[in-house]
Amino acid sequence: EVQLVQSGGEVKKPGESLKISCKASGYNFARHWVGWVRQRPGKGLEWMGITYPDDLDMRYNAAFQGLVTISADKSINTAYLQWSSLKASVTAMYYCVRLLPEPNPVPLDWGQGTLVTVSS
Amino acid sequence: DIQMTQSPSTLSASVGDRVTITCRASQSINTFLAWYQQKPGRAPKLLIYKASHLQGGVPSRFSGSGSGTEFTLTISSLQPDDFATYYCQEYISYSRIFGQGTKVDIK
């Protein structure tokens, strides 16, 4: 059974850094694209980007390029999403996703979500 | 960037109704279109990919159609478990834009 278990909720202050994680199991982690989706409170879904753990290829939504870093460590089957300097606008639920293989790389499996709250 | 526009934003319906949600892309996306269902407090669930391919385990009352710029998600006979918010998403671009969502609630 595929599982994506995300790290727990975070409450941070503006300007702080943060790295959240997504531990995968039940499939060959290195050989499937894994990524992140944002959902602000009461709002819709926003695609952030994906990485291929085997070669660390990355594809970002242009709206998030430079604002976040997506990474993965195939030795421990874990994907990451990080910010270097948080803003209040980062407050949202973040979902980790595993994509179906080509030719239809869409999110099949979703983590439970990590709620990030940024407030002074 | 590609824009994805869903209509309606909210839909009120009764159990047993046939429900249709439309998703329009600002440029052709071939059939690189997926549909998701999200219930409050839960992660989204993949329903359909490649515009019309039903993901395994999804009830057959769900169907998708379309290509190019216009797509539809149809629920043939709405069930109590189907009251939720539905999103379309293009996956031809790196940005993979979602539609704004359609909330299906009880009439």
Side-chain angles (χ1 to χ4, degrees), chain A residues 5-19:
Chain A
V5 179
Q6 298 183 224
S7 50
E10 301 273 1
V11 180
K12 307 290 279 186
K13 295 188 185 312
E16 293 184 333
S17 63
L18 176 64
K19 190 174 189 177

Side-chain angles (χ1 to χ4, degrees), chain B residues 29-97:
Chain B
I29 58 170
N30 198 327
T31 55
F32 294 104
L33 191 282
W35 290 97
Y36 305 87
Q37 176 194 66
Q38 187 179 32
K39 297 179 179 179
R42 304 288 297 276
K45 172 187 174 182
L46 176 65
L47 299 176
I48 288 170
Y49 62 92
K50 200 169 170 59
S52 61
H53 289 65
L54 202 64
Q55 174 58 28
V58 175
S60 59
R61 62 181 179 273
F62 290 92
S63 64
S65 65
S67 66
T69 62
E70 188 151 340
F71 302 85
T72 58
L73 172 70
T74 300
I75 309 172
S76 61
S77 177
L78 198 66
Q79 298 302 301
D81 192 48
D82 301 338
F83 292 98
T85 300
Y86 294 85
Y87 295 92
C88 63
Q89 183 197 25
E90 60 85 8
Y91 56 98
I92 199 170
S93 77
Y94 280 12
S95 294
R96 299 188 179 216
I97 304 299

Side-chain angles (χ1 to χ4, degrees), chain A residues 37 39 43-50 58-63 95 99-100 102-108 110-113, chain B residues 1 31-34 36 38 41-46 48-50 55-56 87 89 91 93-101:
Chain A
V37 174
Q39 188 167 37
K43 302 299 184 184
L45 304 171
E46 298 174 276
W47 187 261
M48 301 180 75
I50 52 176
M58 278 180 280
R59 298 176 185 179
Y60 287 93
N61 177 341
Y95 291 104
L99 275 58
L100 283 171
E102 298 282 355
N104 295 289
V106 296
L108 172 60
W110 297 67
Q112 84 276 18
Chain B
D1 263 2
T31 55
F32 294 104
L33 191 282
Y36 305 87
Q38 187 179 32
R42 304 288 297 276
K45 172 187 174 182
L46 176 65
I48 288 170
Y49 62 92
K50 200 169 170 59
Q55 174 58 28
Y87 295 92
Q89 183 197 25
Y91 56 98
S93 77
Y94 280 12
S95 294
R96 299 188 179 216
I97 304 299
F98 287 95
Q100 80 278 18

